[in-house]
Amino acid sequence: MRRLEAHPHRDPLGTPRVSASFDGTPSTRSTVWGSLAPRSKMHTIAKRAMSSTAFDLDHAYTRAAALITRAQGLIIAAGAGMGVDSGLPDFRGPQGFWSEYPALGRAGIRFEAIASPDAFRSDPELAWGFYGHRLKLYRETPPHAGFVILQQIARQLPRQSFVFTSNIDGQFQKSGYDDAHVLECHGSIHYLQCLENCTDSILPSTAVEPIIDANRCRMLNALPQCPSCLGLARPNVLMFGDWEWNAARTEAQESRLDAWLSGIEQAVVIEIGAGTAIATVRRFAEARRFALVRINPREPRVHRTQDVGIPVGAREGIEGIARALGIPH
């Protein structure tokens, strides 16, 4: 098993991070409204386009369902888009991030700057204001129905499912997924580690009850401490510029995924809400030898004829596949 090294320019699987245009795919935006289309024909063209889109979507659900019925198990590869239907932010671009954290916007602090070990050293109350707010949000937010429906689909298969997710929110476990069948490649906000790595211990954050001044994005109560050195503790998540992330918990999860995969001859990867800006989940999904079903409203394109792209959000896509399988929800 390869070791998951924390590196400021690499993701947890050791692959260099890339820009939002990592796969170089051209835009799939329709050009049907070109200047050559007469105005009198626009309504007819629109009706045909909508009819074609609906037919293609149904066909995609049917194809995805056929792949699943032949599989022994599901590999669920989930990015930030999986949580959007639960009401969780996906931090698309600086403006999207600052709309969620206006105090950071007023100070011009970008996501990459606050989500870093340096932020905990330079302004720990601010860093824990950001992560403490997220911890409270993730604890209080119920997962959307798609999580349970996806689990119902997996239960029809002999080996059920294994989850690979870049999300740190713990929504799969909150939905009832077996923690032993979840790999959180960027760690989990529900665990802590020492900021200075004085110990290899990774501890649950259940005792942390953040009191946050949302107007200033600051944590008001006592900051979490490392029980060994009594210094500052931080979330056990992979951050930007992070040489100190303790990957031991994620490495153990990867070992369990390897063991699960060793007994699988035929599986389907269902990739949900995985973008290209930090493409850990997409690269993981595309590296499998199995067929891929990609649910993504903005970037649904797939590259192999056996794969299926479904251009909708997470819950809608999962519900569509369940309907095609005849699974009530």
Side-chain angles (χ1 to χ4, degrees):
M1 182 189 72
R2 61 192 179 282
R3 180 171 176 79
L4 299 175
E5 297 292 347
H7 189 282
H9 303 296
R10 301 178 80 86
D11 67 34
L13 295 181
T15 313
R17 292 192 172 176
V18 290
S19 69
S21 58
F22 101 100
D23 63 358
T25 54
S27 171
T28 57
R29 189 181 302 273
S30 172
T31 56
V32 70
W33 304 123
S35 59
L36 296 179
R39 184 178 296 272
S40 62
K41 294 184 179 180
M42 289 176 67
H43 182 65
T44 300
I45 294 172
K47 287 179 67 178
R48 287 176 182 171
M50 287 187 289
S51 174
S52 174
T53 300
F55 171 79
D56 289 344
L57 194 56
D58 289 340
H59 182 59
Y61 289 142
T62 300
R63 287 185 60 208
L67 292 172
I68 291 169
T69 58
R70 296 194 294 268
Q72 294 171 284
L74 296 184
I75 302 171
I76 301 166
M82 182 64 177
V84 168
D85 289 330
S86 299
L88 298 178
D90 64 356
F91 302 150
R92 290 183 63 84
Q95 296 306 319
F97 173 63
W98 288 335
S99 69
E100 298 292 333
Y101 294 94
L104 300 181
R106 290 192 296 271
I109 299 173
R110 298 171 68 95
F111 177 48
E112 295 86 347
I114 194 66
S116 73
D118 287 345
F120 282 88
R121 295 189 175 97
S122 62
D123 195 340
E125 288 83 6
L126 184 69
W128 262 113
F130 172 61
Y131 276 99
H133 177 271
R134 294 177 73 186
L135 178 60
K136 283 173 57 69
L137 177 66
Y138 296 156
R139 285 174 174 172
E140 296 168 359
T141 301
H144 63 78
F147 283 89
V148 173
I149 297 169
L150 195 56
Q151 198 171 33
Q152 291 172 341
I153 293 172
R155 284 174 178 159
Q156 311 299 311
L157 305 179
R159 297 297 302 277
Q160 299 196 17
S161 66
F162 208 108
V163 175
F164 179 98
T165 181
S166 60
N167 299 334
I168 65 171
D169 51 38
Q171 286 227 314
F172 281 99
Q173 292 91 330
K174 196 171 185 177
S175 302
Y177 286 72
D178 183 356
D179 187 56
H181 279 203
V182 177
L183 194 168
E184 295 155 308
C185 66
H186 291 170
S188 170
I189 200 170
H190 301 289
Y191 289 84
L192 301 173
Q193 68 172 80
C194 178
L195 178 63
E196 303 302 337
N197 265 335
C198 80
T199 174
D200 289 335
S201 297
I202 298 173
L203 302 173
S205 60
T206 48
V208 179
E209 295 291 345
I211 300 174
I212 305 299
D213 180 347
N215 291 327
R216 298 189 302 136
C217 190
R218 290 191 171 273
M219 187 159 164
L220 301 179
N221 53 332
L223 301 180
Q225 282 187 322
C226 168
S228 296
C229 69
L230 301 183
L232 187 66
R234 52 161 273 190
N236 180 232
V237 301
L238 179 62
M239 304 179 189
F240 293 93
D242 196 350
W243 292 89
E244 295 93 13
W245 178 52
N246 185 343
R249 182 172 172 271
T250 298
E251 288 175 344
Q253 293 175 332
E254 188 184 17
S255 294
R256 292 194 290 271
L257 173 58
D258 289 344
W260 186 83
L261 286 171
S262 68
I264 295 282
E265 294 182 0
Q266 185 68 29
V268 174
V269 181
I270 298 186
E271 179 202 285
I272 307 167
T276 55
I278 299 176
T280 312
V281 173
R282 282 179 83 101
R283 286 198 297 274
F284 168 84
E286 291 177 348
R288 303 312 100 189
R289 67 182 189 276
F290 307 119
L292 168 65
V293 176
R294 171 167 286 152
I295 300 173
N296 193 307
R298 298 182 183 91
E299 300 168 292
R301 183 176 176 179
V302 292
H303 305 286
R304 301 177 302 181
T305 57
Q306 66 175 340
D307 299 337
V308 183
I310 303 178
V312 298
R315 179 173 177 175
E316 182 180 348
I318 293 166
E319 289 176 343
I321 293 172
R323 283 196 305 272
L325 287 165
I327 296 175
H329 56 272

mmCIF file of all heavy atoms in Angstrom, residues 15-47:
data_model
loop_
_atom_site.group_PDB
_atom_site.id
_atom_site.type_symbol
_atom_site.label_atom_id
_atom_site.label_comp_id
_atom_site.label_asym_id
_atom_site.label_seq_id
_atom_site.Cartn_x
_atom_site.Cartn_y
_atom_site.Cartn_z
ATOM 1 N N THR A 15 -0.875 12.673 -6.280
ATOM 2 C CA THR A 15 -0.937 13.191 -7.625
ATOM 3 C C THR A 15 -0.844 14.704 -7.607
ATOM 4 O O THR A 15 -1.488 15.338 -6.779
ATOM 5 C CB THR A 15 -2.272 12.797 -8.296
ATOM 6 O OG1 THR A 15 -2.479 11.410 -8.060
ATOM 7 C CG2 THR A 15 -2.265 13.085 -9.776
ATOM 8 N N PRO A 16 -0.049 15.336 -8.469
ATOM 9 C CA PRO A 16 0.063 16.786 -8.453
ATOM 10 C C PRO A 16 -1.290 17.451 -8.634
ATOM 11 O O PRO A 16 -2.104 17.002 -9.437
ATOM 12 C CB PRO A 16 0.992 17.078 -9.651
ATOM 13 C CG PRO A 16 1.750 15.818 -9.857
ATOM 14 C CD PRO A 16 0.818 14.708 -9.464
ATOM 15 N N ARG A 17 -1.533 18.518 -7.883
ATOM 16 C CA ARG A 17 -2.775 19.249 -8.037
ATOM 17 C C ARG A 17 -2.770 19.995 -9.353
ATOM 18 O O ARG A 17 -1.742 20.399 -9.862
ATOM 19 C CB ARG A 17 -2.958 20.214 -6.866
ATOM 20 C CG ARG A 17 -3.197 19.449 -5.576
ATOM 21 C CD ARG A 17 -3.662 20.348 -4.489
ATOM 22 N NE ARG A 17 -4.043 19.506 -3.361
ATOM 23 C CZ ARG A 17 -4.426 19.973 -2.202
ATOM 24 N NH1 ARG A 17 -4.473 21.255 -2.001
ATOM 25 N NH2 ARG A 17 -4.762 19.166 -1.233
ATOM 26 N N VAL A 18 -3.976 20.211 -9.884
ATOM 27 C CA VAL A 18 -4.083 20.794 -11.209
ATOM 28 C C VAL A 18 -5.135 21.882 -11.195
ATOM 29 O O VAL A 18 -5.880 22.044 -10.245
ATOM 30 C CB VAL A 18 -4.470 19.709 -12.244
ATOM 31 C CG1 VAL A 18 -3.324 18.754 -12.455
ATOM 32 C CG2 VAL A 18 -5.709 18.954 -11.820
ATOM 33 N N SER A 19 -5.190 22.610 -12.293
ATOM 34 C CA SER A 19 -6.134 23.711 -12.388
ATOM 35 C C SER A 19 -7.506 23.202 -12.788
ATOM 36 O O SER A 19 -7.699 22.041 -13.090
ATOM 37 C CB SER A 19 -5.654 24.703 -13.453
ATOM 38 O OG SER A 19 -5.759 24.118 -14.732
ATOM 39 N N ALA A 20 -8.464 24.139 -12.811
ATOM 40 C CA ALA A 20 -9.837 23.765 -13.127
ATOM 41 C C ALA A 20 -9.971 23.226 -14.538
ATOM 42 O O ALA A 20 -10.956 22.590 -14.871
ATOM 43 C CB ALA A 20 -10.756 24.961 -12.934
ATOM 44 N N SER A 21 -9.005 23.467 -15.402
ATOM 45 C CA SER A 21 -9.081 22.973 -16.771
ATOM 46 C C SER A 21 -8.234 21.725 -16.960
ATOM 47 O O SER A 21 -7.701 21.476 -18.023
ATOM 48 C CB SER A 21 -8.612 24.062 -17.738
ATOM 49 O OG SER A 21 -7.292 24.451 -17.435
ATOM 50 N N PHE A 22 -8.176 20.879 -15.916
ATOM 51 C CA PHE A 22 -7.190 19.797 -15.913
ATOM 52 C C PHE A 22 -7.366 18.818 -17.060
ATOM 53 O O PHE A 22 -6.406 18.270 -17.570
ATOM 54 C CB PHE A 22 -7.218 19.063 -14.564
ATOM 55 C CG PHE A 22 -7.956 17.765 -14.555
ATOM 56 C CD1 PHE A 22 -7.254 16.574 -14.632
ATOM 57 C CD2 PHE A 22 -9.323 17.732 -14.472
ATOM 58 C CE1 PHE A 22 -7.918 15.368 -14.627
ATOM 59 C CE2 PHE A 22 -9.998 16.532 -14.460
ATOM 60 C CZ PHE A 22 -9.298 15.350 -14.534
ATOM 61 N N ASP A 23 -8.619 18.583 -17.482
ATOM 62 C CA ASP A 23 -8.782 17.566 -18.526
ATOM 63 C C ASP A 23 -8.935 18.185 -19.909
ATOM 64 O O ASP A 23 -9.087 17.461 -20.896
ATOM 65 C CB ASP A 23 -9.978 16.654 -18.218
ATOM 66 C CG ASP A 23 -11.300 17.409 -18.201
ATOM 67 O OD1 ASP A 23 -11.290 18.632 -18.378
ATOM 68 O OD2 ASP A 23 -12.324 16.767 -18.012
ATOM 69 N N GLY A 24 -8.922 19.514 -19.965
ATOM 70 C CA GLY A 24 -8.939 20.182 -21.262
ATOM 71 C C GLY A 24 -10.190 19.963 -22.074
ATOM 72 O O GLY A 24 -10.205 20.176 -23.278
ATOM 73 N N THR A 25 -11.280 19.532 -21.434
ATOM 74 C CA THR A 25 -12.483 19.251 -22.212
ATOM 75 C C THR A 25 -13.136 20.546 -22.648
ATOM 76 O O THR A 25 -13.220 21.508 -21.883
ATOM 77 C CB THR A 25 -13.488 18.434 -21.388
ATOM 78 O OG1 THR A 25 -13.742 19.118 -20.167
ATOM 79 C CG2 THR A 25 -12.947 17.059 -21.098
ATOM 80 N N PRO A 26 -13.621 20.597 -23.892
ATOM 81 C CA PRO A 26 -14.269 21.815 -24.365
ATOM 82 C C PRO A 26 -15.631 21.985 -23.708
ATOM 83 O O PRO A 26 -16.189 21.053 -23.151
ATOM 84 C CB PRO A 26 -14.418 21.565 -25.874
ATOM 85 C CG PRO A 26 -14.489 20.084 -25.990
ATOM 86 C CD PRO A 26 -13.575 19.553 -24.913
ATOM 87 N N SER A 27 -16.147 23.175 -23.784
ATOM 88 C CA SER A 27 -17.460 23.435 -23.226
ATOM 89 C C SER A 27 -18.512 22.620 -23.940
ATOM 90 O O SER A 27 -18.465 22.420 -25.157
ATOM 91 C CB SER A 27 -17.791 24.923 -23.372
ATOM 92 O OG SER A 27 -19.132 25.176 -23.040
ATOM 93 N N THR A 28 -19.498 22.111 -23.154
ATOM 94 C CA THR A 28 -20.609 21.381 -23.763
ATOM 95 C C THR A 28 -21.816 22.283 -23.933
ATOM 96 O O THR A 28 -22.906 21.807 -24.196
ATOM 97 C CB THR A 28 -20.996 20.185 -22.883
ATOM 98 O OG1 THR A 28 -21.311 20.680 -21.569
ATOM 99 C CG2 THR A 28 -19.868 19.184 -22.792
ATOM 100 N N ARG A 29 -21.629 23.585 -23.761
ATOM 101 C CA ARG A 29 -22.736 24.527 -23.896
ATOM 102 C C ARG A 29 -23.295 24.473 -25.318
ATOM 103 O O ARG A 29 -22.566 24.470 -26.301
ATOM 104 C CB ARG A 29 -22.254 25.947 -23.582
ATOM 105 C CG ARG A 29 -23.385 26.955 -23.483
ATOM 106 C CD ARG A 29 -22.823 28.328 -23.201
ATOM 107 N NE ARG A 29 -22.044 28.346 -21.989
ATOM 108 C CZ ARG A 29 -22.567 28.542 -20.795
ATOM 109 N NH1 ARG A 29 -23.862 28.697 -20.653
ATOM 110 N NH2 ARG A 29 -21.793 28.563 -19.728
ATOM 111 N N SER A 30 -24.615 24.415 -25.430
ATOM 112 C CA SER A 30 -25.251 24.293 -26.734
ATOM 113 C C SER A 30 -25.016 25.539 -27.581
ATOM 114 O O SER A 30 -25.009 26.657 -27.077
ATOM 115 C CB SER A 30 -26.760 24.073 -26.565
ATOM 116 O OG SER A 30 -27.410 24.138 -27.806
ATOM 117 N N THR A 31 -24.868 25.348 -28.910
ATOM 118 C CA THR A 31 -24.750 26.475 -29.842
ATOM 119 C C THR A 31 -25.988 26.571 -30.713
ATOM 120 O O THR A 31 -25.960 27.127 -31.794
ATOM 121 C CB THR A 31 -23.515 26.295 -30.743
ATOM 122 O OG1 THR A 31 -23.627 25.034 -31.415
ATOM 123 C CG2 THR A 31 -22.231 26.317 -29.934
ATOM 124 N N VAL A 32 -27.126 26.012 -30.242
ATOM 125 C CA VAL A 32 -28.326 25.966 -31.073
ATOM 126 C C VAL A 32 -28.851 27.365 -31.392
ATOM 127 O O VAL A 32 -29.504 27.574 -32.386
ATOM 128 C CB VAL A 32 -29.434 25.128 -30.389
ATOM 129 C CG1 VAL A 32 -29.984 25.841 -29.176
ATOM 130 C CG2 VAL A 32 -30.529 24.762 -31.371
ATOM 131 N N TRP A 33 -28.526 28.361 -30.535
ATOM 132 C CA TRP A 33 -29.027 29.702 -30.795
ATOM 133 C C TRP A 33 -28.024 30.520 -31.597
ATOM 134 O O TRP A 33 -27.768 31.680 -31.328
ATOM 135 C CB TRP A 33 -29.351 30.418 -29.473
ATOM 136 C CG TRP A 33 -30.317 29.679 -28.619
ATOM 137 C CD1 TRP A 33 -30.125 29.277 -27.347
ATOM 138 C CD2 TRP A 33 -31.621 29.232 -28.972
ATOM 139 N NE1 TRP A 33 -31.225 28.610 -26.882
ATOM 140 C CE2 TRP A 33 -32.163 28.564 -27.859
ATOM 141 C CE3 TRP A 33 -32.398 29.313 -30.124
ATOM 142 C CZ2 TRP A 33 -33.426 27.990 -27.852
ATOM 143 C CZ3 TRP A 33 -33.656 28.739 -30.127
ATOM 144 C CH2 TRP A 33 -34.160 28.099 -29.014
ATOM 145 N N GLY A 34 -27.417 29.915 -32.606
ATOM 146 C CA GLY A 34 -26.489 30.628 -33.471
ATOM 147 C C GLY A 34 -27.191 31.687 -34.290
ATOM 148 O O GLY A 34 -28.415 31.706 -34.432
ATOM 149 N N SER A 35 -26.421 32.588 -34.887
ATOM 150 C CA SER A 35 -27.008 33.719 -35.615
ATOM 151 C C SER A 35 -27.741 33.285 -36.865
ATOM 152 O O SER A 35 -28.512 34.047 -37.424
ATOM 153 C CB SER A 35 -25.899 34.710 -35.983
ATOM 154 O OG SER A 35 -24.918 34.060 -36.783
ATOM 155 N N LEU A 36 -27.513 32.026 -37.323
ATOM 156 C CA LEU A 36 -28.164 31.581 -38.547
ATOM 157 C C LEU A 36 -29.589 31.087 -38.306
ATOM 158 O O LEU A 36 -30.327 30.855 -39.250
ATOM 159 C CB LEU A 36 -27.347 30.460 -39.199
ATOM 160 C CG LEU A 36 -25.947 30.859 -39.670
ATOM 161 C CD1 LEU A 36 -25.239 29.653 -40.282
ATOM 162 C CD2 LEU A 36 -26.025 32.004 -40.665
ATOM 163 N N ALA A 37 -29.996 30.880 -37.058
ATOM 164 C CA ALA A 37 -31.337 30.390 -36.774
ATOM 165 C C ALA A 37 -32.332 31.531 -36.880
ATOM 166 O O ALA A 37 -32.240 32.509 -36.134
ATOM 167 C CB ALA A 37 -31.398 29.778 -35.376
ATOM 168 N N PRO A 38 -33.292 31.470 -37.795
ATOM 169 C CA PRO A 38 -34.289 32.539 -37.915
ATOM 170 C C PRO A 38 -35.098 32.653 -36.636
ATOM 171 O O PRO A 38 -35.413 31.664 -35.987
ATOM 172 C CB PRO A 38 -35.163 32.087 -39.094
ATOM 173 C CG PRO A 38 -34.344 31.065 -39.822
ATOM 174 C CD PRO A 38 -33.484 30.420 -38.790
ATOM 175 N N ARG A 39 -35.465 33.889 -36.301
ATOM 176 C CA ARG A 39 -36.206 34.132 -35.071
ATOM 177 C C ARG A 39 -37.507 33.338 -35.057
ATOM 178 O O ARG A 39 -37.944 32.841 -34.013
ATOM 179 C CB ARG A 39 -36.478 35.629 -34.942
ATOM 180 C CG ARG A 39 -37.160 36.028 -33.627
ATOM 181 C CD ARG A 39 -37.353 37.534 -33.573
ATOM 182 N NE ARG A 39 -36.083 38.233 -33.570
ATOM 183 C CZ ARG A 39 -35.418 38.497 -32.459
ATOM 184 N NH1 ARG A 39 -35.875 38.100 -31.283
ATOM 185 N NH2 ARG A 39 -34.284 39.163 -32.524
ATOM 186 N N SER A 40 -38.183 33.177 -36.217
ATOM 187 C CA SER A 40 -39.468 32.488 -36.278
ATOM 188 C C SER A 40 -39.348 31.007 -35.938
ATOM 189 O O SER A 40 -40.338 30.357 -35.612
ATOM 190 C CB SER A 40 -40.070 32.642 -37.682
ATOM 191 O OG SER A 40 -39.202 32.044 -38.642
ATOM 192 N N LYS A 41 -38.144 30.426 -36.028
ATOM 193 C CA LYS A 41 -37.965 29.005 -35.764
ATOM 194 C C LYS A 41 -37.458 28.725 -34.347
ATOM 195 O O LYS A 41 -37.297 27.569 -33.966
ATOM 196 C CB LYS A 41 -36.969 28.412 -36.767
ATOM 197 C CG LYS A 41 -37.474 28.417 -38.198
ATOM 198 C CD LYS A 41 -36.467 27.727 -39.110
ATOM 199 C CE LYS A 41 -36.977 27.701 -40.553
ATOM 200 N NZ LYS A 41 -36.011 27.041 -41.447
ATOM 201 N N MET A 42 -37.202 29.766 -33.570
ATOM 202 C CA MET A 42 -36.568 29.558 -32.274
ATOM 203 C C MET A 42 -37.436 28.726 -31.342
ATOM 204 O O MET A 42 -36.949 27.853 -30.625
ATOM 205 C CB MET A 42 -36.227 30.897 -31.616
ATOM 206 C CG MET A 42 -35.078 31.626 -32.296
ATOM 207 S SD MET A 42 -34.751 33.250 -31.585
ATOM 208 C CE MET A 42 -34.173 32.780 -29.969
ATOM 209 N N HIS A 43 -38.758 28.948 -31.335
ATOM 210 C CA HIS A 43 -39.628 28.208 -30.428
ATOM 211 C C HIS A 43 -39.631 26.722 -30.769
ATOM 212 O O HIS A 43 -39.563 25.864 -29.886
ATOM 213 C CB HIS A 43 -41.047 28.771 -30.499
ATOM 214 C CG HIS A 43 -42.008 28.096 -29.567
ATOM 215 N ND1 HIS A 43 -41.887 28.172 -28.197
ATOM 216 C CD2 HIS A 43 -43.090 27.306 -29.821
ATOM 217 C CE1 HIS A 43 -42.859 27.472 -27.642
ATOM 218 N NE2 HIS A 43 -43.598 26.929 -28.591
ATOM 219 N N THR A 44 -39.688 26.394 -32.074
ATOM 220 C CA THR A 44 -39.678 24.992 -32.498
ATOM 221 C C THR A 44 -38.369 24.318 -32.121
ATOM 222 O O THR A 44 -38.345 23.190 -31.617
ATOM 223 C CB THR A 44 -39.874 24.897 -34.024
ATOM 224 O OG1 THR A 44 -41.124 25.497 -34.349
ATOM 225 C CG2 THR A 44 -39.866 23.442 -34.486
ATOM 226 N N ILE A 45 -37.246 25.014 -32.335
ATOM 227 C CA ILE A 45 -35.940 24.462 -31.988
ATOM 228 C C ILE A 45 -35.852 24.210 -30.495
ATOM 229 O O ILE A 45 -35.349 23.185 -30.042
ATOM 230 C CB ILE A 45 -34.816 25.409 -32.448
ATOM 231 C CG1 ILE A 45 -34.783 25.482 -33.979
ATOM 232 C CG2 ILE A 45 -33.460 24.955 -31.921
ATOM 233 C CD1 ILE A 45 -33.835 26.529 -34.523
ATOM 234 N N ALA A 46 -36.372 25.164 -29.701
ATOM 235 C CA ALA A 46 -36.322 25.010 -28.248
ATOM 236 C C ALA A 46 -37.102 23.783 -27.798
ATOM 237 O O ALA A 46 -36.655 23.021 -26.948
ATOM 238 C CB ALA A 46 -36.873 26.260 -27.574
ATOM 239 N N LYS A 47 -38.297 23.576 -28.367
ATOM 240 C CA LYS A 47 -39.115 22.423 -27.988
ATOM 241 C C LYS A 47 -38.401 21.122 -28.335
ATOM 242 O O LYS A 47 -38.381 20.174 -27.549
ATOM 243 C CB LYS A 47 -40.477 22.479 -28.690
ATOM 244 C CG LYS A 47 -41.403 23.551 -28.127
ATOM 245 C CD LYS A 47 -42.726 23.581 -28.866
ATOM 246 C CE LYS A 47 -43.521 22.307 -28.623
ATOM 247 N NZ LYS A 47 -44.831 22.336 -29.285
#
